[in-house]
Amino acid sequence: MHLVGSYAEDDYYNEIKIFIEKNKLENHVFIYGSCADVYHVLTQSTIGVLSSKSEGLPVALLEYGLAKLPVVATYVGDCGLVISNKDTGILVEPENHQSLAEALISYINDLDLRQQFAENFQNKVKASFSESSSIEALMNLYKKHQR
C-alpha cells in the first residue's frame, strides 16, 4: 500500500505509524507525503482509494481516472458527480470500514471488473472533466450567449 499526499505529523499520523510498526507492515505500507510526479506513481498502482469524511471535488479522483485506475471512494462532497454510476467506480458510505473492505476485495478478486471499471472511469473523466472537455463546454456556453 502506497500512501501518497501531504500529511501533518499529528495524532492520526502517529496512530498509523504505530499500527504499521505493531503489525510489522513496514515492507508493505509506504508513506510518501506529497509527490511532484503523481501520474508516475499512479501508473504503478492497481486501485485508487479515496476514503474521507468530507471532500469538495477531489482532484485525486480525476487523477485516478486519467491514470486508468479503478476507484473506491467515500460518498462525500462531489465524489458522486465523478463516480456517477455503477460501472465507473465503487462508492461507499464514509466511516464504513466493512463496505470499504468489501469494495476493495471485489476489485482484488475480479481482474475483469477492475479493468472494465478503470476503462469506464477513464472515459468518464476524459469526457466530463478533462481540459479539452472543459474548453469545449465553455466555448459552447459563449456561443449560446452570443445569439
Side-chain angles (χ1 to χ4, degrees), residues 71-74 83 85 88-92 99 103-104 106-107 113 117:
V71 294
V72 176
T74 44
I83 304 170
N85 57 41
T88 57
I90 302 172
L91 288 171
V92 298
S99 291
L104 289 169
S106 70
Y107 278 147
L113 178 73
F117 275 38

Side-chain angles (χ1 to χ4, degrees), residues 19-37:
F19 181 88
I20 292 168
E21 292 166 8
K22 182 179 175 182
N23 292 283
K24 298 180 181 7
L25 297 171
E26 297 90 348
N27 293 325
H28 305 284
V29 179
F30 307 95
I31 301 174
Y32 294 103
S34 294
C35 292
D37 190 3

Side-chain angles (χ1 to χ4, degrees), residues 55-76:
E55 288 290 341
L57 175 64
V59 173
L61 283 183
L62 303 178
E63 292 172 327
Y64 295 167
L66 293 176
K68 202 173 182 179
L69 289 177
V71 294
V72 176
T74 44
Y75 196 9
V76 295

